[in-house]
Amino acid sequence: MIRVAIQTDAIDVPAELDIHDAGGHGASASFIGRVRGDNDLTELFLEHHPVLTEAGLAELAHAATDRWALSALTLIHRVGAMAPGESIVLVLASSAHRAEALAATEYLIDRLKTDVMFWKRETFADGRIAWVEPRDGDHSRAERWD
Amino acid sequence: MALTVSYFAWVRERMGVADEVIDPPAEVTTIAELVGWLAGRDERGALAFAEPGRIRAAVDGAMVGPDAAIGPDVALFPPVTGG
């Protein structure tokens, strides 16, 4: 099973985990990225491309299933406005054994940050608005998987 | 060649529109040339494309580099910051 979604609604993590629980997989690994409230951040807005973003997520999911023996994979990314504490992204990877599930999860979140078309815009309590700049560390982490 | 160009994130904000149909001169054949032409076209283009090295592109649904040929559907945007 590969499930890829882009949505404005909150990510229902328990419901997504239930799908993996029901599959009888030996191991499931997960990653949840949440909005940090650093520097009095009041809103994080995620912009995406109406076509290419979903295609990019699907391509990434298939690259992971080609590379590791995964029995189930869920990749969900939110778009639109989010408040501190809300989940932005969920990666769930299931396999017969932990090593494949853990490696695939780390690969997916590393690559998602550099390879898929999402852009973050931050709004702060004083009214300041700023687009997030990519970090060099994100690219060095993503390149480890080349 | 008339083409549709769409903008994202701060490129969209600086251009003031999400997409537009443009008709650049015949000598504009690559992404880098298109970005240069847009930068020289008007004030908003100068603002959006002041640093061509910070611009990424897609042509007809595929991510491409600055030397790629332009097509009927071009997207111009900053480096991605998802996850």
Side-chain angles (χ1 to χ4, degrees), chain A residues 47 52 118-120 131 133, chain B residues 9 12-13 54 61 78 81 83:
Chain A
E47 180 169 327
L52 296 182
F118 292 103
W119 300 274
K120 285 186 181 130
W131 289 93
E133 290 293 327
Chain B
R12 171 180 53 73
E13 287 186 341
R54 296 179 69 202
T81 54

Side-chain angles (χ1 to χ4, degrees), chain A residues 20-99:
Chain A
H20 285 249
D21 283 342
H25 314 292
S28 294
S30 65
F31 175 84
I32 298 168
R34 299 193 188 86
V35 181
R36 288 191 310 273
D38 300 354
N39 305 314
D40 288 331
L41 180 135
T42 54
E43 182 194 274
L44 185 71
F45 183 86
L46 257 293
E47 180 169 327
H48 74 300
H49 186 291
V51 178
L52 296 182
T53 307
E54 186 143 6
L57 277 188
E59 195 178 313
L60 197 59
H62 283 100
T65 55
D66 284 348
R67 192 159 173 165
W68 292 281
L70 302 178
S71 44
L73 174 59
T74 300
L75 193 49
I76 300 177
H77 206 296
R78 275 187 79 191
V79 293
M82 282 160 252
E86 290 188 53
S87 300
I88 307 169
V89 60
L90 170 68
V91 179
L92 285 174
S94 289
S95 182
H97 304 287
R98 72 180 185 284

Side-chain angles (χ1 to χ4, degrees), chain A residues 80-142:
Chain A
M82 282 160 252
E86 290 188 53
S87 300
I88 307 169
V89 60
L90 170 68
V91 179
L92 285 174
S94 289
S95 182
H97 304 287
R98 72 180 185 284
E100 308 252 312
L102 286 166
T105 300
E106 194 170 18
Y107 166 85
L108 284 161
I109 191 60
D110 282 348
R111 279 298 170 99
L112 206 151
K113 282 186 169 285
T114 58
D115 293 9
V116 188
M117 291 166 73
F118 292 103
W119 300 274
K120 285 186 181 130
R121 188 189 66 199
E122 298 174 324
T123 302
F124 299 94
D126 60 4
R128 193 165 53 87
I129 294 173
W131 289 93
V132 173
E133 290 293 327
R135 285 187 292 218
D136 291 342
D138 290 341
H139 282 273
S140 51
R141 286 192 68 87

